[in-house]
Amino acid sequence: MAYSVGGEPSSSLSFTSSSHISNGSTCHNISGSETGSSLEMISLNKLSCNLEQLLIDEASDYTDAIIMVEGVPVGVHRCILAARSKFFHDFFKNNEKQSSSEKNGIGKPKYNMNGMLPYGKVGCEAFRIFLSYLYSGKLKPSPPPDVSTCVDNGCPHDACRPAIDFAVELMYASAIFQVPELVSLFQRRLLNFVGKALVDDIIPIVVVGFHCQSDQLVAQCVDRIARSDLGNVSLEREVPYEVAEKIKSLRLKSKQDGECENVAEDPLREKRIRRIHKALDSDDVELVRLLLTESEITLDEACALHYAVAYCDPKVVKEVLSLRLADVNLRNDRGFTVLHMAARRKEPSIIVSLLSKGACASEPTSDGQTAVNICRRLTRPKDYNAKTEQGQEANKDKLCIDVLEREVLRNHLAGDSNVSSLTLADDLHMKLLYLENRVAFARLLFPAEAKVAMEIADAETTSEFSGLSRSKGSSGNLREVDLNETPIMQNKRLRSRMEALQKTVETGRRFFPSCSQVLDKFMEDDLPDLFYLEKGSEEEQKIKRTRFVELKEDVQRAFHKDRAEISRSGLSSSSSSSSLKDGVYGKGRK
């Protein structure tokens, strides 16, 4: 019996049965053939289900090898993989020495997915679906929605980036592991995306088509991109060289045939712009400054900030912003602002840097997509809804969406500032002590958010909080005296430090209000003093420990309640603030 990729029988094995029925009469040839085919179908379907059960039945693990995919161990049966895939047959044969570890009683041999792939990426969910086909001969009718859809409620999910990326991963797996019938299937699926998807999202399709030597897929993508407004910079940075040259050749031919506007290009101007981009690639902002003085090209004319946001290190973006020579709300030739580019990259520190410099979060693209819409259409539910334990780094995709949503809401509520001033003593050391401890607690409880805020504010690692960030013998204590430092120098140093920490706190209040409210609760209850648990009498120490446990439980409840509210509402600023007040401030001080 031959199965199609979808699992339905595409043809039956035709044969004549010579068996006899119980009354001794011989079956007719036609009925015998039909009966044989039917039995064959039933038998193969049952075999398919039994083999698939080996994958899904965790109670009975008969696997003899492990493949690590995205840090997740996936158990496999080498005999099945070797029989179904020439790649795995050769791979296991060439790695026979590794399997000898079983004989020594060490355990199952372990392989890494990244070591098997010469190019591309295959995620855990895509690999499990690929395995299901190898075991059962059937492909699941629909992919898991948490990895093949986005979190934009207005998206039809017929050509959003997660859907494309998932099909691309399956195409890589099918081609690299040499299962040609699946290659044909996913090639057709990707061809359907080419006409629907945004041109930026076609790039991974043309890349997989190039690596998997699918001429038809590459040709369709080249034609679509050549007719689009995707710039040469994007082509050179993101598309294989051979494909980029084909696209440029088609565009040149179209210009010569008069199919598109003949825009005169200034070779000298283009050369100067490329020199600025190369300087950014080298992380040399000083060279950028020098190039700007030597030519009439400005940062905006070179779209240098757009380029840095798309391709450079976040520190380079920050340095370019510090030049104060670029318009953070400038639109490039495609109508994208710098923030739109940052939303596609999904790097929280870049997004916060731009917003803190005045980038407008509500500006739409030509097709009406704001930065938060762009970010949502690039984010999988699996990543957005991933649970983050307190003290662990938050998912970057979710962090970007939350920051952008809060900023949009903040713009709607402009004029109603709720950033309170610190009611602290005027003593400089006391203010610094408060700020150092507050930022240190932020690093402990909310590491990802604190890291972004500190990077924006140029605040170095806090040193005052005992037990967290200061090791024995360190010289970061504010009260330590440098005999070579004059009072004026010391005052200047401390004020500079205080400004950086103050900016860190203000950045946190603006972009991470829920985290800030949790920290407010900590600081109001004088929790820093609780970490000196060994001081005082036994009774005082006991009270401190009890209070510490209570506050820890308090903040955990508030943290998880706030996260749940964010997941339900989609507008993290308003819902999380109200829920946190109910969870934290609702309890009276003990």
Side-chain angles (χ1 to χ4, degrees), residues 10-74:
S10 57
S11 63
S12 58
L13 294 176
S14 178
F15 64 96
T16 302
S17 174
S18 59
S19 59
H20 295 74
I21 56 176
S22 59
N23 61 9
S25 63
T26 304
C27 295
H28 295 290
N29 286 342
I30 296 177
S31 62
S33 176
E34 291 176 350
T35 303
S37 298
S38 178
L39 288 174
E40 182 87 4
M41 184 184 302
I42 294 172
S43 177
L44 288 177
N45 270 320
K46 188 173 182 180
L47 175 62
S48 172
C49 293
N50 290 341
L51 288 174
E52 187 177 21
Q53 194 67 23
L54 290 174
L55 280 178
I56 61 180
D57 188 3
E58 296 181 357
S60 302
D61 182 13
Y62 302 110
T63 60
D64 63 353
I66 292 174
I67 298 178
M68 298 298 297
V69 189
E70 295 181 320
V72 178
V74 179

Side-chain angles (χ1 to χ4, degrees), residues 325-343:
L325 298 174
D327 180 3
V328 292
N329 290 305
L330 177 74
R331 291 180 180 269
N332 62 11
D333 294 340
R334 303 181 64 199
F336 290 168
T337 67
V338 184
L339 194 60
H340 294 150
M341 305 291 287

